[in-house]
Amino acid sequence: MSLLFRAALAAVAFGSSLALAPAAGAAPVPGDAGKAVTFPFPANAPVAVQVTGVGAARERLSAMLKAALPDEAKELDKQIDEALKQVLADRKLTAVPKDGRVFVVVNDIASLFEGEPAFAVLVPVSSYKEFKATFLTADERKTLGEGKGVDEVKLSLMGAEHTVHMVDLKEYVAVTPDKGTADLYAGKFARATTAAMPAELARSFVGSDLAVYLNADAINNKYAEQIKGFKMLIDFGLQQAEMGGMLPGINKKQLAAAKVMLGGAFQALEDCRGVVLGAEFRPEGLNLRLQAQFADDTASAAVLKAERPGALADIGKLPAGLGQYAGTKFGKKFHDMMKGLNPEFAPADDDENGNAALEKHLTALHAAGPQGEVSGSGGAGANFTAAKYTDAKKAVAALTGCYEAMAAGGRLHSAVLKGAPKITKDARKHGAFTFTEVRVAFDFEATVKDLPEGLKENTIAQLKRALTEQMTLWIGTDGQTVIQVTAKDFDAAAAAVDAFLDPKKPVGETDGFKLTRKQLPADANALVLAETGQLVTVLLDSLKAMQDTVPGFPRLGKVQPLKGEPTFIGIAVTLKDAATLNVFIPGEALAAGKKIVTRLLTNVE
């Protein structure tokens, strides 16, 4: 079975409902997830893809395109309609309701990589009889062979003929290339229902315009041995990398912590009940959601239950004009789980005293009771962080100790230090704050010496955007808030402190920030709002790094920076009943991204 046919078959099912045909005999559209909605596919299906109310979804997509690309939306809609007409050819769609929900269901993941793929497209219909009479072409109806519960027909798709099997499910028709899958749908099977799904996942699955549901219960039951074997393979690979020094920039402590995290990831997979990846077309932009939920009384569920997400409102007090804004608020269990993966401080592996001292100070910092923090970054030499601790003075002492533990050859922010940081305690006072001054010098050449030759230059360029080779930062507290600020001099640092404590032009009052923040969850454990132009620049730099390391990769030309009011792409992580990642891309950012891609393609060398 060719990949082309798989794609074409899914396109036909999706396009059938998208097309602007008159609705006939409405198939039931599942409503609120709390009302025990029953789906037309088996409860033990490992993967299900659905398009919710696709008639409305098409309208929402058009509305989003019109808001993001007002000058091009009409043409894009026309292109979509033309593409659908080409795929559907002379088929009539009167039997396919506009408001019906389409499903593509995989019954056996392994079959996608070997043999006949065991998947089915479930098309909503007013009746099976009308579907056969209108959707199938006259020539296809001549090939129709009716069987006991399973019909066989030869469909002409994208210039090729394919044998498929169809099963009447009353409100739906199951269309599949696999006879065994067709027999499954023709027989009796327990249907999937939102009542059996984890509640948060059910709401996300039926509430998205387009969603994929991974049934972890079914996957763990069927593929437990394969998952175990994959874990053993990853463990072996990490051990070989550790012995051979194949992971430059990662010290032994971080590698050990990574192994613990890997074990936690596989534990999470074992504890997981399901995962949903969904997309929502909003007038304001595109929202993507990745969500996982875990079985009660498991280690993973215990981590989530201990979390208390918040509004992280202080992020809006940061001054406008920075490229990235972030806020975090995690509980003790999550901090314990992440301990050792801190990329900020990394003494050299052979610096036993430094590693012991750092461990001591990180433990003290954790004991100071972190209550959350917000930060803003304006590039090299312009960074600001404000954090709350139960004991702010102990937190400052612990942070200062972390810098004292560093020596030449160690890594700070992943960059190699030329020498030990120069620390002056109680160096400055500003208002109620007393600041310790820390001066550091980086060796960018030493940082990239173990990288492949093609990556060195690009990596140094990225380092210079985030750091200066000679950097000064100040750490201080007024007894309540701990502030860390990097600036060209103390006057600039003091100005940043004043801008946060008494904001005159905070980012929270800018239109771009307000729009994105409103589209993200009200409460979160982590928030990141990245200015579109800067984020795209970082991504382009990553692509440019590939042109020197990947044979045949196109040479990317220079792209001019974006103009106009800043827009922000937002990311939110919420740990509560489920672990949820939301990514929101505003319409203005979609338009800006399109301009950059267009310019990029015209500048390819």
Side-chain angles (χ1 to χ4, degrees), residues 29-34 37-42 45-53 60 101-106 122 172 192-195 197-215 274-280 289-293 580:
V29 177
D32 190 286
V37 177
T38 299
F39 300 111
F41 54 84
V47 182
V49 182
Q50 66 90 27
V51 182
T52 303
R60 289 193 292 272
R101 187 179 300 231
V102 177
F103 299 92
V104 178
V105 182
V106 176
L122 306 180
Y172 280 84
T193 170
T194 55
M197 295 170 65
E200 292 297 320
L201 301 188
R203 278 189 283 272
S204 292
F205 184 61
V206 300
S208 300
D209 289 307
L210 175 65
V212 180
Y213 177 58
L214 301 180
N215 185 340
V275 176
V276 166
L277 174 61
E280 300 171 18
R289 179 182 295 116
L290 177 64
Q291 190 172 58
Q293 198 160 352
T580 306

Side-chain angles (χ1 to χ4, degrees), residues 152-167:
E152 183 177 291
V153 66
K154 292 182 179 180
L155 291 183
S156 297
L157 297 171
M158 307 293 287
E161 188 175 76
H162 306 274
T163 299
V164 299
H165 309 277
M166 301 189 302
V167 179

Side-chain angles (χ1 to χ4, degrees), residues 72 157 164 166 201 235 277 281 296 346 387 437 454 560 567 600:
E72 303 169 60
L157 297 171
V164 299
M166 301 189 302
L201 301 188
D235 285 337
L277 174 61
F281 307 132
D296 293 337
E437 182 183 272
Q560 297 299 319
T567 62
L600 183 65

Side-chain angles (χ1 to χ4, degrees), residues 468-481:
T468 55
E469 291 186 271
Q470 303 288 331
M471 188 178 77
T472 306
L473 62 101
W474 290 268
I475 308 170
T477 184
D478 60 352
Q480 297 180 333
T481 301

Side-chain angles (χ1 to χ4, degrees), residues 511-585:
D511 291 339
F513 187 96
K514 285 193 291 187
L515 184 147
T516 296
R517 182 65 188 92
K518 186 176 180 181
Q519 297 300 315
L520 295 172
D523 292 329
N525 296 88
L527 279 175
V528 177
L529 282 87
E531 196 275 320
T532 303
Q534 186 181 91
L535 180 60
V536 171
T537 298
V538 172
L539 294 176
L540 287 179
D541 285 342
S542 299
L543 287 175
K544 288 181 179 180
M546 297 175 66
Q547 67 190 18
D548 294 321
T549 57
V550 179
F553 197 86
R555 310 294 298 185
L556 304 178
K558 186 176 181 180
V559 177
Q560 297 299 319
L562 296 174
K563 297 180 180 179
E565 292 299 314
T567 62
F568 293 89
I569 294 173
I571 301 171
V573 175
T574 305
L575 306 181
K576 202 173 181 181
D577 297 322
T580 306
L581 169 69
N582 280 282
V583 178
F584 177 73
I585 308 172

Side-chain angles (χ1 to χ4, degrees), residues 323-385:
Q324 181 173 297
Y325 300 85
T328 59
K329 181 181 182 292
F330 291 106
K332 184 178 183 302
K333 283 190 175 183
F334 189 86
H335 273 292
D336 289 342
M337 185 176 69
M338 299 299 292
K339 188 178 180 181
L341 285 178
N342 189 335
E344 186 173 1
F345 303 99
D349 285 337
D350 58 0
D351 183 2
E352 295 183 4
N353 291 335
N355 278 289
L358 179 63
E359 182 67 25
K360 172 185 174 183
H361 293 303
L362 287 177
T363 299
L365 182 63
H366 188 63
Q371 303 296 305
E373 68 177 41
V374 296
S375 63
S377 173
N383 298 281
F384 182 94
T385 300

Side-chain angles (χ1 to χ4, degrees), residues 95-96 123 125 127-136 166 173:
V96 182
V123 184
V125 294
S127 74
Y128 183 44
K129 181 179 179 180
E130 185 178 358
F131 175 79
K132 290 187 292 184
T134 58
F135 184 80
L136 301 180
M166 301 189 302
V173 173

